[in-house]
Amino acid sequence: MNILLIEDDLDLGAALQRALEQAGLESVWVRRLCDGLETAERGDFDCVLLDINLPDGEGFVFLEKLRRQFSSVPVIVMTARDALDDRLRALNGGADDYVIKPFLLPELMARIHVAVRRAAGQA
C-alpha cells in the first residue's frame, strides 16, 4: 500500500512516516500544498493523509482539486481543527474520514485500512 502524507510539522511527519513504514506501508511525505498536488498527479497512491493547515494554503484546496482529478483515492484529514464547520467542510468536500490531532497511531492505521478497503469495494 502506498500512502501520500501531506503534513508540514517535522516531528509529526517523521513519526507518521516511521509508523507507516513499521506497519509495512510505503509512503511519500511532503510538507507543502503545492508539493502534495504535484506528487498526487505523478504517483499512484492508495490513500492520502492530509493536514489542513499548511504553510502555503489550506488542505481544503488540495481536497477539491484531488476530487476533480482522482476521485476514488481515499483521503483522511488529520488536523487540530475540531470545529464542526471544518469537519463538515472536509467531509462534504470529499474527505473519507476526519481525525483530530492528537490521535493514536493504531487508530489511524485502522482508519487507513478501512478507507482503502472501502475504495476497493470490500466490506
Side-chain angles (χ1 to χ4, degrees):
M1 195 176 322
N2 196 13
I3 309 295
L4 174 57
L5 171 60
I6 306 172
E7 169 62 57
D8 65 319
D9 183 275
L10 287 173
D11 293 332
L12 181 56
L16 285 171
Q17 195 166 45
R18 274 193 310 275
L20 292 167
E21 182 180 309
Q22 290 172 352
L25 306 176
E26 295 180 26
S27 65
V28 175
W29 172 29
V30 298
R31 298 181 57 220
R32 297 181 313 160
L33 182 66
C34 63
D35 295 331
L37 292 168
E38 182 179 310
T39 304
E41 289 174 1
R42 290 181 303 165
D44 184 26
F45 295 98
D46 299 297
C47 186
V48 176
L49 300 178
L50 175 64
D51 187 12
I52 293 297
N53 298 319
L54 297 166
D56 61 335
E58 288 190 324
F60 295 119
V61 173
F62 173 89
L63 185 57
E64 181 182 312
K65 289 182 180 180
L66 185 74
R67 285 299 174 235
R68 281 194 299 230
Q69 297 172 0
F70 312 100
S71 61
S72 66
V73 177
V75 176
I76 299 173
V77 171
M78 313 171 304
T79 183
R81 292 172 136 181
D82 62 355
L84 178 59
D85 287 344
D86 290 325
R87 290 181 293 190
L88 293 175
R89 183 176 177 193
L91 293 168
N92 289 331
D96 295 276
D97 205 346
Y98 193 99
V99 180
I100 299 170
K101 296 175 185 176
F103 50 80
L104 298 174
L105 285 173
E107 180 181 2
L108 179 64
M109 294 302 165
R111 289 174 182 269
I112 291 169
H113 288 289
V114 166
V116 171
R117 275 197 319 264
R118 279 191 196 134
Q122 299 173 354

